[in-house]
Amino acid sequence: MTPRPAGRWLGDRGALSGGFGAAGVAVALLYAIPAPWRVHEMALGLLGVATLAAMAGGLRLHAPPRRGPFEVLLVGIVLLALAGWVRLDRHTLGMLDARRAFLPDVLGLVGSVLVAFALTVLSRAPHPRDRRNLDMVLDGLVAGISAYVVLWIYLVEPAAPGLAMPAFERAILPLFGAIDVYMVSVALIGMLPRARRSISGRFLIVGAAWLGVGDCLYLVGDIGRAGVPHSLLGVPYLLAASAFGVAFLHPTMRRLFGGRWSPAHEPADSRARLVAVVLAPALLAAIGLSGPGRSGFQRLVLGIFGAMSVSLAALRVWRAVAVGARTQARLAHEVTHDPLTGLGNRSLVERSITGALAEGARAGDGVAVVFLDIDRFKLVNDAHGYSCGDQLLIEVGERLHRAFEGRATVARVGGDEFALVLFPVASAGQARHEAERAHAALGAPFRIYGVDLLVSASVGVALGSAADPTVDAETLLRDADTAMYQAKSSGRDMVTVFDASMRDRIADRLALEHDLRRALERDEFCLMYQPIVSLAEDGPVVAGLEALLRWDRPTRGLVPASFFIECAEASGLLTEIGDWVIRESARQLARWREVPGAQALFVSVNVSALHLKSNALPARVRRALAETGLEPDAMCIELSEATLMANPAEGVGLVIRMKELGVRLAVDDFGNGYASLPYLKQFPVDYVKIDRSCVDGLTSSDPTDATLVSAICSMARALDAVTIAEGVEHESQERALRELGCDLAQGFLYARPVDADDVILTVRAISPRHGLRLVTGDGGAGRPGR
């Protein structure tokens, strides 16, 4: 048999509870129609049994996380049903004399208390430690006491002359209504907010309300204040039974629990509730004063319940005032403190600096601000999870607090950034010493969830005094932050003291970034081209060109890419600039290929690691080729060895996609120490560009570089790839490369980078004996460009 999906079961159970509720309402409406007593008795009995069965079945079916309150509620309803059955069987309505049987009263009273207790627990279930739980009970007690006094004074006592029972027993009669008012009050206060997401909770409130209506009608009929027909008297109890049955059958009964307690869960008190609690004793006092001829027993009862109401109201008001004060204190604390570590936050740091500067102005002392940033904190989150990272931040804060307790303000001002405000500080040397103390505090391993973590930190220090009118809290924080980033960019895990030159460098960096953004708009970039030549025995012959980016900066002239590439990457402009390089080099190559004899010329373009991560490079190259009409193998894409090895999986994926497109691929700067030769076989590239550091060593007596170049050439040949030597400047290097088996070369020996208009002239100058004849991309080695 195929099991039903969980959602289908929930739908069936919801329909079951709805069907039970509809049947209960129908029975209640039919009960209101006059009929023989036995019919009414049978309807009450059947619905009572059905309700108890529904409650027991729902409890077993849905298995709420805490069964206890529901079980107590079920027992209470059983006792109330038994009390009702005994009353019907013995016809006790209106029998307030010696012949009255007190068994149903005892059963009903115990049942009401159990139901009230269960609803109280259910109403407070989500946050057991929440202070609102006691407030809810206090409010319910005040409401119940007020209801008791009103019922006793205005219903029971006026009927006393016609009641053949002692005053003490009369005082018990309003207890049912008072308990009902209490349970409805606590259910509305505690359960109603959660009842918005729990249909079961709504019907529990409805059931308690109908139970209260039924008890009040029964009291009116029992004391003879009004004639209440049996057909009308049973309707509220039937509706209450139906509501309780629906509450237990509906699957949302499980949602009445859940959530963790936190002081932040405690909202401000409802003013309406607080005013009602305060007015309740005044109501009782007004009732007492409104009847000057009351008996001694009546005054005693009013005095007792009035004193109880005043005491509860006073306790409630005192708690509200205390909670309000704690709430204000907590809010004030949260404004200036970090919720994770409990340390101060940036606001507290700014206040501390401002206060220290003001005090230093009188004493002539300085203020030091230390910024500390955990190096590579993201790796902790990635490797061990965010909970481990949070715990690390907490323990870093604790170490700093212990190291500077009473001597500095310690705060967490960012994700993994901490700040210390030190005062007084006499010199920059003292400030640096304190910063190194903070740096050393993190030297020992952190034991987090059974794992030893070694962390380092980059620390920046800024020193100021009120004697300098330009110094304020914002300035010191900015300077300390600048020094910290200087430490990070200088290699991390060090202490750096701020000086004015750092601010100048930042200003230059901002100006550079601003000019870079305008350079794209003003078309200030241009491309230079350096020929790639064959090392064939019959003389140099051009095989291709490498496109080199330049920036014609108005204030600096022609600037090489190495000057601004880091800034372009940090500012997010590098991808856009790289796209321009691809389009422009393709456009110019298409123009050169129209020259007779230059149809086989290819151009090589460097792309960045950002292109590798964006996964959009193949689409951009495809679009550039389509716009210019070039064949795919007319373009070669260069990826540095460092870029490929930073994420080999992404590198292999990109190489495969580019090969499917048909373009040529080259691994740049190979042999500069990032990877070993076996890694080369992971990337099916067309060209291997030997790093100039290997070429420079070919003229020395040390054979190491020659051995490395020979190994690269042999490996590339085995993988059917062409080798290109970079930075060739001397003929001796050319001879050595030719002997070692290198295929192609580029460098100042052949030509410096030239602009697009001089490319054809430069090619002719390199190969005067060959005219404009160009070799294929294999450098004459007999291997076709792949």
Side-chain angles (χ1 to χ4, degrees), residues 4-293:
R4 294 186 179 184
R8 179 69 180 275
W9 272 110
L10 284 178
D12 291 348
R13 295 173 187 178
L16 178 63
S17 63
F20 180 86
V25 171
V27 171
L29 293 177
L30 292 174
Y31 190 89
I33 301 173
W37 169 246
R38 286 297 177 185
V39 175
H40 284 177
E41 189 177 23
M42 185 178 298
L44 282 172
L46 289 176
L47 186 58
V49 172
T51 298
L52 297 178
M55 294 176 69
L59 185 61
R60 180 180 179 83
L61 186 65
H62 302 304
R66 291 177 60 188
R67 297 173 57 94
F70 290 102
E71 292 173 345
V72 172
L73 181 59
L74 175 58
V75 172
I77 297 298
V78 169
L79 293 178
L80 290 177
L82 288 175
W85 183 260
V86 172
R87 283 176 181 151
L88 287 174
D89 184 60
R90 300 189 181 182
H91 301 284
T92 61
L93 183 65
M95 293 175 56
L96 298 177
D97 54 22
R99 296 177 297 122
R100 180 183 176 94
F102 286 97
L103 178 61
D105 292 340
V106 173
L107 291 175
L109 189 61
V110 175
S112 295
V113 171
L114 291 178
V115 172
F117 175 78
L119 289 178
T120 300
V121 176
L122 288 172
S123 298
R124 56 168 286 171
H127 313 298
R129 294 171 54 199
D130 195 325
R131 61 95 186 165
R132 290 176 296 175
N133 292 325
L134 180 55
D135 291 345
M136 175 189 68
V137 173
L138 292 175
D139 293 347
L141 288 174
V142 171
I145 290 172
S146 301
Y148 175 87
V149 172
V150 170
L151 291 174
W152 185 66
I153 292 295
Y154 292 106
L155 284 180
V156 177
E157 283 305 295
L163 302 177
M165 62 187 310
F168 174 76
E169 294 181 5
R170 293 200 307 271
I172 298 177
L173 294 178
L175 279 177
F176 293 96
I179 295 173
D180 294 334
V181 170
Y182 166 82
M183 71 173 68
V184 172
S185 298
V186 297
L188 288 174
I189 294 171
M191 195 183 299
L192 186 60
R194 297 195 310 282
R196 295 172 184 170
R197 62 184 179 91
S198 173
I199 294 176
S200 178
R202 300 178 198 175
F203 277 94
L204 286 178
I205 297 173
V206 171
W210 279 118
L211 197 60
V213 172
D215 285 342
C216 290
L217 284 177
Y218 191 89
L219 176 62
V220 170
D222 204 21
I223 63 177
R225 292 301 302 270
V228 182
H230 281 85
S231 58
L232 180 61
L233 187 62
V235 171
Y237 292 117
L238 291 172
L239 292 176
S242 303
F244 283 123
V246 171
F248 273 67
L249 284 175
H250 202 276
T252 57
M253 68 181 299
R254 296 178 56 85
R255 300 181 190 172
L256 291 174
F257 298 98
R260 293 186 299 174
W261 177 85
S262 168
H265 290 151
E266 300 186 21
D269 277 296
S270 167
R271 290 186 178 181
R273 279 173 54 196
L274 201 56
V275 168
V277 169
V278 173
L279 289 180
L283 172 65
L284 298 186
I287 292 174
L289 295 175
S290 64

Side-chain angles (χ1 to χ4, degrees), residues 435-747:
E436 289 173 347
R437 180 187 181 92
H439 183 264
L442 308 186
F446 290 85
R447 186 74 174 175
I448 310 292
Y449 300 146
V451 178
D452 287 331
L453 297 179
L454 283 170
V455 301
S456 63
S458 301
V459 184
V461 189
L463 184 65
S465 70
D468 186 350
T470 64
V471 172
D472 56 16
E474 183 179 357
T475 301
L476 283 177
L477 283 170
R478 181 193 63 200
D479 292 347
D481 191 41
T482 299
M484 181 270 291
Y485 275 103
Q486 180 64 37
K488 193 172 287 290
S489 62
S490 299
R492 299 186 175 91
D493 195 22
M494 63 177 62
V495 176
T496 302
V497 180
F498 176 82
D499 62 67
S501 64
M502 296 179 187
R503 192 177 295 151
D504 295 337
R505 285 196 293 272
I506 291 177
D508 291 342
R509 178 66 174 260
L510 290 175
L512 177 61
E513 182 177 333
H514 176 265
D515 290 349
L516 272 175
R517 294 185 183 279
R518 301 186 69 182
L520 277 170
E521 301 170 0
R522 297 181 176 183
D523 197 23
E524 293 176 355
F525 291 110
C526 63
L527 294 178
M528 307 288 284
Y529 296 89
Q530 188 173 39
I532 301 171
V533 302
S534 170
L535 293 178
E537 293 291 344
D538 57 347
V541 180
V542 175
L545 301 159
E546 180 180 3
L548 303 171
L549 178 64
R550 297 291 185 267
W551 176 19
D552 190 7
R553 193 177 184 185
T555 58
R556 299 286 182 89
L558 209 59
V559 179
S562 59
F563 177 79
F564 60 84
I565 204 72
E566 181 183 350
C567 180
E569 183 173 4
S571 59
L573 295 171
L574 190 56
T575 300
E576 189 174 355
I577 294 173
D579 293 344
W580 178 87
V581 171
I582 292 172
R583 293 194 308 271
E584 182 66 10
S585 59
R587 185 186 67 82
Q588 292 180 344
L589 177 62
R591 181 167 57 88
W592 295 327
R593 281 195 156 202
E594 294 177 356
V595 177
Q599 291 84 356
L601 194 66
F602 76 91
V603 67
S604 182
V605 177
N606 282 280
V607 297
S608 69
L610 291 180
H611 277 99
L612 182 64
K613 295 179 181 179
S614 70
N615 293 320
L617 182 61
R620 293 184 172 101
V621 173
R622 184 185 297 108
R623 185 163 52 250
L625 295 173
E627 291 173 353
T628 57
L630 290 173
E631 294 295 326
D633 64 354
M635 181 166 287
C636 176
I637 299 298
E638 293 187 18
L639 292 161
S640 72
E641 181 185 6
T643 298
L644 287 173
M645 296 314 303
N647 194 326
E650 289 183 355
V652 171
L654 176 64
V655 169
I656 292 175
R657 290 194 299 275
M658 297 300 290
K659 293 299 294 180
E660 291 173 350
L661 184 60
V663 302
R664 306 184 190 188
L665 292 167
V667 54
D668 195 15
D669 301 329
F670 194 85
N672 62 2
Y674 283 95
S676 59
L677 290 173
Y679 277 108
L680 187 61
K681 65 182 180 181
Q682 296 185 26
F683 306 102
V685 296
D686 299 279
Y687 300 99
V688 177
K689 302 193 74 173
I690 303 172
D691 188 69
R692 68 178 304 139
S693 62
C694 300
V695 176
D696 289 342
L698 294 178
T699 57
S700 68
S701 58
D702 187 355
T704 302
D705 288 313
T707 302
L708 179 58
V709 171
S710 176
I712 295 174
C713 292
S714 299
M715 174 73 74
R717 191 174 299 107
L719 297 175
D720 200 22
V722 176
T723 48
I724 304 174
E726 298 179 289
V728 180
E729 298 183 0
H730 306 287
E731 292 183 357
S732 58
Q733 293 173 330
E734 182 187 59
R735 288 194 298 271
L737 289 168
R738 188 179 290 113
E739 292 172 359
L740 293 172
C742 185
D743 301 314
L744 304 173
Q746 69 181 97

Side-chain angles (χ1 to χ4, degrees), residues 18 299 321 371 374 417 434 493 734 785:
R299 293 184 183 279
V321 172
F371 243 62
I374 300 175
E417 294 180 345
E434 296 290 357
D493 195 22
E734 182 187 59

